[in-house]
Amino acid sequence: MSPLVLADIGMPVCGVVSSWLSSPLLGGIISYAVFSVIFHKVLTKPAPPRAARLAMPYFTGFTVGLLAMFVGVAGPQSYRTTASRAIIMGILMGCISGAVVSTRLQAAPDNVIVMANAADRAASGGAAQEFDGTDEEDGKSKQGKATADASRATDNVSVSIELAEARFKPLMVVTACVVAFAHGSNDVSNSIGPFNALVEIYNHGTIRPGAAVPLWVLICGGVGIGTCMRPL
């Protein structure tokens, strides 16, 4: 095998191997940053449901904008464009989606707003104060009352946090679908990369830059990944 062919094989392999390290590292950094923002700006606030409601347009716009950029840069070939256009498209999609979510939240039904306000009062301790002195059982000690009120306050805070987390479930579903698609595509690419290189060398004597991968090779990769992952 000529040195040129070895060099052609070495460069793609090095890129794939480096992505195995850089992709999880970068993903972990971004995930930690997003979780830190949600934790400090939403979950630790006195009223988490209200904080989540105020933050949802920004998180939605950020998520949709990133996904639009991802599709424009690394999505299907028919949707790919230049990096500058992808950035502009992401900013526009993010602003539009954020504005739509903000409008829908402002037009929420009255019962939804009442429930959110009640959860806010419960999280800030209002619900616990409403129970003070309402228990008419004779002989109940002050320590028992304090324990009961503390238990109610803890339950109210837990429910309030759950309501705040529920706001983010739709975004979690969307991002999980995108990650699953991207992860599966990456796995198939990694599995068929060396195989397609051998096919190129066998058919053309070298690896042609930018050559399309034959459909039957893609099918072999998809069937192989699906067959191997099925027992797991």
Side-chain angles (χ1 to χ4, degrees), residues 121-134 148-150 152-154 156:
R121 291 195 301 269
S124 59
Q129 293 176 3
E130 292 175 2
F131 283 101
D132 291 343
T134 59
D149 290 342
R152 293 189 188 101
T154 301
N156 289 331

Side-chain angles (χ1 to χ4, degrees), residues 61-154:
F62 176 75
T63 303
V64 173
L66 282 183
L67 295 183
M69 293 181 192
F70 170 77
V71 172
V73 174
Q77 291 290 343
S78 57
Y79 294 99
R80 291 188 183 184
T81 182
T82 61
S84 59
R85 290 183 178 179
I87 293 174
I88 295 174
M89 180 177 63
I91 294 175
L92 291 177
M93 292 294 292
C95 293
I96 293 173
S97 60
V100 170
V101 171
S102 179
T103 302
R104 289 181 61 88
L105 289 177
Q106 291 177 2
D110 293 339
N111 59 339
V112 176
I113 297 176
V114 170
M115 290 176 60
N117 292 337
D120 292 343
R121 291 195 301 269
S124 59
Q129 293 176 3
E130 292 175 2
F131 283 101
D132 291 343
T134 59
D135 197 339
E136 298 179 355
E137 290 185 10
D138 296 333
K140 186 174 182 179
S141 64
K142 293 182 179 180
Q143 182 178 1
K145 290 182 179 180
T147 302
D149 290 342
S151 178
R152 293 189 188 101
T154 301

Side-chain angles (χ1 to χ4, degrees), residues 193-210:
F195 179 56
N196 186 64
L198 295 177
V199 172
E200 281 285 303
I201 294 172
Y202 179 81
N203 291 332
H204 305 282
T206 185
I207 299 177
R208 298 173 300 167

